Amino acid sequence: MPGPRKPRAASRDSIAVAFAGGGPLGGMYQVGALVALDEALIGFDFNACDIYVGVSSGGLVAAALANGLTPLEMHRMFIESEAAEDPFEPEILLKPAFGEYATRIASVLPLLLDASWHYLSNLGSEGFFESFARLSKAIPTGIFDNHPIDAFLRRLFSAPGRSNDFRELPHRLYLVATDLDSGASVPFGAPGFDHVPISTAVQASAALPGLYPPVEIDGHFYVDGALKKTLHASLALKEGAKLVFCINPLVPFDADLALQRGHPKRHKLVEGGLPMVLSQTFRAIIHSRMQVGMTKYDVDFKGADVVLFEPNRDDAEMFFTNVFSYAGRRRLAEHAYQNTRAELLRRSAELAPILARHGIRLDRAVLADASRSLLARPGRIKLKQARRLGATVLELDRALDRIESRQRARR
């Protein structure tokens, strides 16, 4: 059940949140940061925003907020993997795309025959490799299956009080994907694209090329929305949002800065192989692009305030965490939580007047409370442990019943 709503200040300003992508790592960072922001902002409720914008994994976070899940509930479901019926396990993101593999394997023989015929028909005019290059069409478009994402969210958003239909939400929700054939950004949730199920829009927005196959919707194929822009906060600004909270979880790692700030060793990213090199490259590209976008927001939307939260450039914890490790997920969310609390304190003089313009203020008592943590919440019993305990008690009751039945039979 959703928790109690925080009172919203009496303000006519439209307030929005925008979440960038970043894969499972980015989504988990955003959840930890959201819990910190939710606790520290007085007069604001993340479940009562006017506009939600999400890209890639940020689309899942935006859709969950728009559907009434509080930041703390998202932490329990996505990080702690606690849910009464259907906990989220990151393993669903790593299921092989067997359907895609089968389709491509079935195409090998026809492609081979076509390539052979083409080569033999054009002897002397086309080389061997040029003719057989068409076999590249048999390479799968994605390694992992993204249908489980759609299936999980369909179940999640079918609960009472939630909806998998953009048109039934009390707030505007935009999930951005990229049309593969045109390169155009498509905001699912906007008129003409609001008939698509929210779960499918999240699946399309998070279809990172190479990892997940493109998602077909109405005859078009869609991939990750971050291919065009990092945040897409302009969607909310164009609709009149006067305050936009943005969370970008991916920044390029600065090994020299980390060493200067006390990290015990200097990291050489090349030692991590191709995945590490690609990760740093991707982060550098999307972050520089986001900085350009933020500068344009200041020029194009002068009456609006855009507040950005993101990790530090020396954040080794964020860069090297294995999100598929349960301990790693919990540690990353806690790290994001504490990092955001520290950033709010550090930027309090800058943020206070901005937030005050929109009827929001910082709870300094909460930020000054060093005992706050996501890892140890007093009075909280993990649902998995409770279910195991309940099953044990039930089995014990059954065993006692069997013993009593035998004793009555003997009498």
Side-chain angles (χ1 to χ4, degrees), residues 38-60:
D38 192 50
E39 289 179 346
L41 299 179
I42 299 175
F44 179 69
D45 181 357
F46 274 102
N47 295 115
C49 293
D50 300 285
I51 306 168
Y52 297 86
V53 180
V55 184
S56 193
S57 61
L60 190 156

Side-chain angles (χ1 to χ4, degrees), residues 29-291:
Y29 186 93
Q30 288 173 330
V31 169
L34 268 176
V35 177
L37 290 167
D38 192 50
E39 289 179 346
L41 299 179
I42 299 175
F44 179 69
D45 181 357
F46 274 102
N47 295 115
C49 293
D50 300 285
I51 306 168
Y52 297 86
V53 180
V55 184
S56 193
S57 61
L60 190 156
V61 176
L65 282 177
N67 254 292
L69 273 77
T70 67
L72 192 55
E73 286 172 332
M74 283 196 286
H75 176 263
R76 290 171 178 166
M77 177 174 290
F78 299 134
I79 310 300
E80 299 287 351
S81 293
E82 296 177 353
E85 298 295 336
D86 195 9
F88 175 83
E89 297 289 354
E91 288 77 11
I92 72 171
L93 305 175
L94 292 177
K95 293 185 176 181
F98 290 120
E100 174 69 9
Y101 300 165
T103 299
R104 299 296 166 172
I105 289 172
S107 71
V108 171
L109 183 56
L111 286 171
L112 182 60
L113 292 173
D114 181 53
S116 301
W117 175 256
H118 189 273
Y119 175 67
L120 294 173
S121 301
N122 296 276
L123 285 174
S125 62
E126 284 195 17
F128 177 85
F129 290 106
E130 186 177 359
S131 294
F132 281 84
R134 62 196 62 214
L135 286 174
S136 63
K137 296 178 181 179
I139 299 174
T141 57
I143 301 172
F144 303 116
D145 186 2
N146 46 16
H147 287 95
I149 300 172
D150 185 8
F152 172 81
L153 293 178
R154 281 179 187 270
R155 294 192 298 271
L156 180 64
F157 296 152
S158 66
R162 300 174 190 156
S163 176
N164 200 31
D165 190 327
F166 286 100
R167 296 163 296 189
E168 294 179 357
L169 294 176
H171 318 285
R172 282 167 286 177
L173 169 65
Y174 301 111
L175 303 173
V176 185
T178 303
D179 188 319
L180 183 62
D181 292 326
S182 68
S185 294
V186 173
F188 290 107
F193 298 100
D194 54 0
H195 65 287
V196 177
I198 294 172
S199 58
T200 306
V202 172
Q203 178 193 3
S205 180
L208 184 63
L211 284 184
Y212 297 103
V215 177
E216 184 178 7
I217 300 174
D218 296 337
H220 292 259
F221 289 87
Y222 295 94
V223 293
D224 197 305
L227 266 63
K228 290 284 286 186
K229 290 183 182 179
T230 302
L231 267 171
H232 289 275
S234 58
L235 279 172
L237 292 166
K238 287 176 181 177
E239 294 218 8
K242 296 303 181 184
L243 172 64
V244 184
F245 290 103
C246 302
I247 301 181
N248 169 50
L250 295 188
V251 298
F253 179 65
D254 189 331
D256 292 330
L257 182 61
L259 192 65
Q260 292 171 17
R261 293 183 176 176
H263 202 271
K265 67 172 185 176
R266 188 186 188 285
H267 291 279
K268 293 185 178 179
L269 301 187
V270 70
E271 295 175 355
L274 181 61
M276 202 68 72
V277 172
L278 289 178
S279 176
Q280 179 76 330
T281 303
F282 179 69
R283 288 164 181 259
I285 291 172
I286 67 171
H287 193 257
S288 62
R289 192 174 59 188
M290 186 201 67
Q291 289 178 314

